[in-house]
Each structure stands twice: as C-alpha cells, then as structure tokens.
Amino acid sequence: MLTRGKVVLFYPAYDGPPLSAPLCLLSLASPLREAGFDVRVIDAAVTPNVEGAVPREISGALCLGMSVLTGPMIRSALRIARAVRKTRPELPIIWGGWHPSLLAEQTLANEFVDIVVRGQGELTLLEIAEHLSDGKKFGDIDGASLKQRPLQNHGRERRVAKLDNLPTPAFDLVDHDAYERATGVRKLAYATSVGCPYACNYCTDMVFYKRRFNALSAERVVRELTELVQHHRIEEVALLDSNFPVDVRRALSVAKGIVDSRVRFRWTFQASTDFLCRMSEDEVRLLGESGVSHMGFGTESTSAPVLKLMNKRHQRVDEMYETARKAELAGIHVTFNLIFGYPEETEADRVETIGTMSDIARQFWNVSFSPNIFTPYPGIPIWPQLRQLGVKEPQTLEQWADLPLGSNVLPWLQGDELLRLRRMLEFFLVHNQIRKATKNKPLLRRGVRRLLSAPLRWRLRSRRYSFPWELWVARSAEKFAMRRSLLTGQTLSTNIKEVC
C-alpha cells in the first residue's frame, strides 16, 4: 500500500514529436514507488492541456520534480513552475537532469527552483521525498543543491550507484498507446549503460558522467527488454546509451541473448566507430540478426586538425569506411553525425569532410548524414576559449532556453561564410539522397541522376554555389532530410536553416 505521500514528476515540452515515454522520469519513479510513494508522471508531449493538468495533479503532493535539458524545455518548465507556484506557493519545486546538473548554482538562482538534483538522481530524489514525508528539516543531502536564502547549500557529490543495483524503470506508469498515437510507432526508450570513456571537448557527457562507463549486465538487459517488448507490444527500442559497445563482449552478449530469446523487435543505438571496428564481420552480422536496424556515430569531421582540436584522438577516417562496410554487410543503416563551425575550423576543413563523406556515401548505400552547427552547451571544457572568441555565455535559465540545437551563436560563422556553408551542405545532402533514392530505379537513374548528379558533383568540387537551380528542381519534387536523429536515423528537419 502506498502511504508515504504523492510525488509528481513532470517532463516539459520540447521541439518535435516524443521519442517515447521519458525514461528519466520512469527511472526516478521506480525507487520512489518501491519505498511506498504514490508517483504520478506527466509528459507534456502526450498530456492535453498540461498547464491545467499539472496544477490539478499537485493537490496533496509532497513535491514536484522536473527533468530538464538545455534549450526550449527550460521555457516549458518555467511556465509550469510559475503556474504551480500560484496554486501551491509552499510546494517544493525540484529540477534535475542535464542542464540543472551542469549549472546547479545558476539554476537554483531562479525564483521558481527550490532544489536541484545533480547527476544520477534516483537515490537523491528518494532521500528528498523521505525528508518531506517525515517532516524532517533539510541538512546536507548528497547530490542535492538547496536554496537557503541568502546562501545556497550544495551537498557533496553522491557516490554513483551501479545500474544493476537500481530497480527497473516504472514502464507501467505510462500509457504506451498515447505515444504510439503521437509517433505512429510503438517505441520504447531504454538505457543499458551511461557514460563514455572519451573526453571530446564539445561534449557534456564527459562532464556529467566524468568518463565513467556504468552498465547493466547483459543478462538483465536481455531479460528486461524481451519482457517489456512482449508485455507492451513494442516494435522498436531506442537505446539512449552514450556509447553502447564500449564493452564489446557485453554488447555482443546482449545481441546473442536477444537472438536466443526468439523475441523479435528492432533496436537502435549510438556508438563510436572504433568500438564497432573491433567487431568481426560475423559479430556485426549478429547485431543485424538480433534486430539492430540503425546505428548512429559521432564522426563529426574527417579533418585531422579539427579532430585534434575536438580531442577526438580515437577517431580515424579509415574506421569510418570500415564501419560503413561492416554495417552494410549486416543490412544495418548508419548515420554519421557531422559538426561544422568548430573553433579554428577552416572552409578547407569543411570541404575535406564533405569530400570524404561523399566518397563514403558513393561506396555504401546504407549511410546517411546529420550535419549540425557547433553548439556551445553548458559545462563543456572549451568555454574559456569560446569566451575569448566572443561567444556570449547565457547567464540565466531564460537565456539558455533560447539555445535550441542548431541555433547559431558563433561570431566567426556569419554572413557570406555561413551562407556558403549552408549551400555546401544542401548540395552535399541532396546529392547523396538523390543517389540513394534512385539506386534501384533504372529509369530515374538515367533521368534524374543524369540531370542533377553531375552538376551537383561539379559544384562540390569547384565550390561554386550561386544560382542553385539543381536544389530548386530537387526540392520541387521532394523534401530532403537536412538533419537526422543519431538515435534512430529518422528525419528531424528538412530546413537547412534549422541545421545552421
């Protein structure tokens, strides 16, 4: 029986359709429920009139918890927090997730934030809820930052719990039919691990997880996934792992376990090319046999100087080719992420990257690309350099809310140079997608490819982008993906201005 009180967890709205039920909230809900709390999960993506739903649900609640990412989610979270404050001004409002963890003091300075949960939040939030339920005064809570005017109290870092010691996320708390109606696919977000061993200078993962790889056992992953797929009739599972195959043996054990279970579903994950290249052809085929349909790779650039600036010393161009080749043998689609506009990158670096990626696309049918402008997210190691280069670092939650993925705030990439990058990317992506679209269509090959492909190749080689008639013709016939999800490969944007 649930007797210790009610905890409401809210996932703010963000741009685009939901991936699936918010795994972060379901992971927080599970220990709370095991301890006797009544947990309510509200996701703005599938809840009608969320501005009214949350204030109604907090009646009798001990606290309201929100998980927040940098960007537009902050605006949604603040709007709900403001409404809650009017309804129940005494209710503790708790923020957690990536953005508050990376900027705890700045987040706590906002009038609508009472507590920040930093980092891994399951046990920290449970301890907070127990204090509230028992009527205890707050002292130091590991992993929590508390607002105590005029000072802020930041508890010690909480010791990271092994994922195998935490309960299964509370997937039964949400309506999976609602997410299927919103997305058209019965999909589940799941994580077998957190953390990545690399220290890329643009990445918040290394700051959040401190390069520690923390993983569930292969046996638990297989057991939970197969049970969840069968119980909730799931068609596809998107792994949220930062770098799924860090432990190659464990990754292959997961794949073999799924094959042996005879439970069939599609699944996708993110990785780095070096780990995939450590697998043999037969081992990559095993991934395909287990249901892997897509893999996303943070390749970012093929320019050696840029990769060095990014601190991606583990990234090698030959392994990009090898990754595409092995994935093609297994029938697995891949998306290579690209970052443009990185500090000190030149146009020659961009041309080199696009030329190499064009060659990979020419050789392997299964490769797509997701170009992005470099975005200076909070906490990344190169902020001192960015400040020197004139990037203005947001100082409030409201200012961070205006920094969506793809928003160009780079003072060195403006005007004609930005226009040339946009045009270059359009020619590159349209050329690649025309090639893929006409691969198995002989008549179109003789027509569309002859009409458009040769001039597109010429433009990329010569760097001449004026009067882009090929783009006008191509776009009059079909919309082309300008950016794709690294998790699933699905189209995120067809507008080049949303990319850079």
Side-chain angles (χ1 to χ4, degrees), residues 124-249:
T124 303
L125 182 60
L126 173 60
E127 188 173 338
I128 292 170
E130 288 173 336
H131 272 68
L132 293 170
S133 178
D134 297 338
K136 294 180 181 178
K137 290 186 177 180
F138 285 109
D140 288 342
I141 295 180
D142 289 355
S145 296
L146 311 174
K147 183 177 289 183
Q148 297 178 338
R149 301 206 178 274
L151 302 174
Q152 296 179 0
N153 174 23
H154 300 281
R156 298 173 303 177
E157 295 298 318
R158 180 174 291 274
R159 187 174 182 178
V160 175
K162 291 184 178 180
L163 292 189
D164 268 331
N165 293 336
L166 296 174
T168 302
F171 289 101
D172 59 298
L173 276 182
V174 295
D175 179 5
H176 295 277
D177 293 339
Y179 291 95
E180 183 179 11
R181 289 192 295 270
T183 65
V185 181
R186 205 164 181 86
K187 187 180 296 185
L188 191 75
Y190 182 88
T192 79
S193 69
V194 295
C196 173
Y198 296 127
C200 303
N201 283 333
Y202 56 83
C203 185
T204 56
D205 189 277
M206 65 167 291
V207 183
F208 196 93
Y209 293 116
K210 299 177 174 60
R211 301 178 66 183
R212 302 185 188 119
F213 185 67
N214 185 0
L216 297 172
S217 67
E219 294 76 17
R220 175 171 169 179
V221 171
V222 173
R223 181 180 70 253
E224 288 186 353
L225 279 183
T226 53
E227 288 176 355
L228 288 166
V229 165
Q230 291 177 303
H231 184 73
H232 297 292
R233 297 181 289 108
I234 300 300
E235 301 170 19
E236 181 177 323
V237 175
L239 296 190
L240 304 185
D241 303 42
S242 301
N243 201 338
F244 169 67
V246 167
D247 183 339
V248 171
R249 182 176 299 179

Side-chain angles (χ1 to χ4, degrees), residues 436-478:
K436 292 176 67 173
T438 60
K439 177 177 178 291
N440 297 314
K441 299 176 182 177
L443 291 178
L444 281 177
R445 268 206 302 273
R446 287 198 297 268
V448 176
R449 289 189 68 177
R450 186 175 299 170
L451 176 66
L452 298 179
S453 293
L456 287 169
R457 287 196 304 272
W458 173 82
R459 285 186 182 274
L460 290 170
R461 286 196 305 267
S462 65
R463 304 190 210 178
R464 296 179 183 276
Y465 309 124
S466 60
F467 194 68
W469 64 268
E470 305 95 330
L471 297 180
W472 302 333
V473 171
R475 290 197 174 283
S476 67
E478 184 179 355

